[in-house]
Amino acid sequence: MKSLTKGKMWIYAIGQLGWSIISGLIASWLVYFYQPDFKAKSEGMISLIPEGRVIFGVLTIIGLITFAGRIFDAITDPLVGSWSDKCKSKLGRRIPFMRYSAIPLGLIFVLVFCAPVNHVSPINTIWLFVFVAAYYFAITCYCTPYTSLLAELGHTQDEKMKLSTCISLTFIVGTTIGYVAPYIWGGLIGGGMSRIPAMRITFVILSVIATIFMLIPAFFLNEKDYCDFQPSESTMLSSLGKTFKNKEFRVFVVQDIIYFLGLTMFQTGLPFFVTSLLEFDETMSFPMFAGLTALSLVYYLFITKLAAKFGKKKLLVVAFIGFFICFGFTAICGPKLGMNIYLQAILIVVLGSFPMAIFGICPQAIVADIAQADEIVTGESRSGMFYAARTFAMKFGQSAAMLLFTSLATIGASTGKGYRLVALVASICCLLGGIFMTLFNEKKVLNIINSKNE
């Protein structure tokens, strides 16, 4: 088997740049589009679905739809992981899925924002329900096989960390591009276009770019040059059961659910934190996220060395503590704090950048380690199912986050009280995640891998 060149590593990483643009847009603007705050409505946004806690007096329509979509998505993760592990295509086990899901994913993403009736209507609610579910299935069909390649392309700890660093960089850049969207639709609005059509055209432009990026590794990376694995013969349920028998993986999954619960609440709330708490214009979301990105990239230079010296587990515990402080500060930010609001924005960026760098690199590498160690012990390659199960956990956390966010955000909507509660809950989640991460036995996993290499 060949070793990956730097060029091939970046070809692989460009795929993540593509799907992270789309996932970043969904995370940042889906709720904003369908549950706009008072400021957005004053600038031309209109309601397309019922708003407020209209279901049992607790849940919102957008929250329930995104929750249901994520649950459907999470259920299909093991199915797609099993299909990928068992694939016998001459192209490999992962590349065929990436080739045939990229274009549908880009198209469905656009349709999510194209509810057909230009006012509140049950037709829009049904439309959103269908296409949110379709979006999550399509992104699973690309992302689960894509991330599974990380454990198979990287043959050494060094290669896996480099690959993880590359895809983390492209993920951050892709997510940051999502925050450029207001500048694009702002320019279209300035040219005379109304707000919702301008937003939709923006999503079309970014979707085309993202789809092209997703197709690059699917057509320019020969999987069989680097991966020498036989298709798994296990059924989906059997493979999933074997995966969750791994104790260290179970511990990792629990902290992952908690992490994504907190992170998704914070990421979804960022545009609202910017406008409702700090009282900036919505375009300030981009410089704040760009600042987080730029500063975290500086830390990327040291993460691999720090992981080699202290271990990935310890770095993640530190990152959880960092996010706990950052999100907690966000919960109390605003003009009434008595501190310049620009300084507050800078503090949020500084506090969040180092944890962001650590979480960008280490978790993917840890799953690759667990999958490799499990293969050594069991003799069966099921990296697709490990990443599918990890994605299942991630999406479960994200689903719960969307449900919580959309409900909490409506509390005292005109005062921003709900958004403060969102940031506070996200902070507490990170504290709990750090506690669970201390239970992960990284030494055991690495000893199994090293025993085979000796």
Side-chain angles (χ1 to χ4, degrees), residues 23-147:
S23 68
L25 288 167
I26 286 286
S28 301
W29 303 111
L30 178 63
V31 174
Y32 188 84
F33 188 86
Y34 283 103
Q35 188 173 291
D37 60 13
F38 287 99
K39 186 171 182 179
K41 288 180 179 178
S42 70
E43 294 174 351
M45 288 295 293
I46 61 174
S47 298
L48 299 174
I49 61 174
E51 297 182 52
R53 299 190 298 277
V54 298
I55 303 174
F56 308 121
V58 176
L59 305 177
T60 63
I61 293 290
I62 184 65
L64 187 61
I65 288 174
T66 53
F67 178 77
R70 279 294 190 182
I71 292 299
F72 170 74
D73 181 26
I75 291 171
T76 59
D77 277 325
L79 181 62
V80 173
S82 179
W83 288 345
S84 182
D85 280 343
K86 296 165 70 173
C87 182
K88 298 179 180 180
S89 169
K90 64 181 180 180
L91 296 173
R93 297 193 295 175
R94 320 301 181 189
I95 293 297
F97 287 87
M98 294 162 58
R99 284 192 181 184
Y100 297 122
S101 62
I103 293 176
L105 172 57
L107 177 61
I108 291 168
F109 160 75
V110 171
L111 292 174
V112 166
F113 294 94
C114 292
V117 182
N118 203 34
H119 55 78
V120 175
S121 168
I123 294 174
N124 290 341
T125 301
I126 295 169
W127 177 281
L128 186 60
F129 181 86
V130 170
F131 282 103
V132 164
Y135 160 76
Y136 284 128
F137 180 70
I139 200 167
T140 294
C141 287
Y142 187 90
C143 291
T144 294
Y146 177 86
T147 52

Side-chain angles (χ1 to χ4, degrees), residues 242-360:
K242 292 175 183 177
T243 299
F244 276 102
K245 281 184 179 179
N246 188 305
K247 179 183 176 182
E248 304 314 318
F249 183 68
R250 292 199 304 270
V251 172
F252 178 83
V253 162
V254 171
Q255 67 82 34
D256 223 26
I257 291 173
I258 297 171
Y259 164 66
F260 279 105
L261 175 60
L263 180 69
T264 304
M265 290 181 72
F266 188 82
Q267 185 179 15
T268 305
L270 185 57
F272 300 100
F273 301 151
V274 168
T275 58
S276 293
L277 301 188
L278 292 172
E279 299 182 4
F280 288 120
D281 185 76
E282 65 182 15
T283 56
M284 187 65 177
S285 298
F286 171 69
M288 283 189 67
F289 196 85
L292 277 165
T293 301
L295 192 52
S296 67
L297 291 179
V298 174
Y299 294 126
Y300 268 48
L301 301 173
F302 310 103
I303 297 299
T304 300
K305 293 180 180 178
L306 290 173
K309 183 175 181 179
F310 298 106
K312 295 182 279 291
K313 168 186 170 179
K314 290 182 179 178
L315 286 187
L316 282 180
V317 172
V318 169
F320 270 121
I321 295 171
F323 273 145
F324 167 71
I325 297 171
C326 177
F327 297 170
F329 176 75
T330 302
I332 62 171
C333 71
K336 291 183 179 179
L337 188 61
M339 180 187 298
N340 183 278
I341 57 172
Y342 286 96
L343 179 58
Q344 292 180 52
I346 291 171
L347 277 175
I348 292 171
V349 168
V350 171
L351 290 170
S353 56
F354 186 57
M356 185 175 175
I358 294 172
F359 272 105

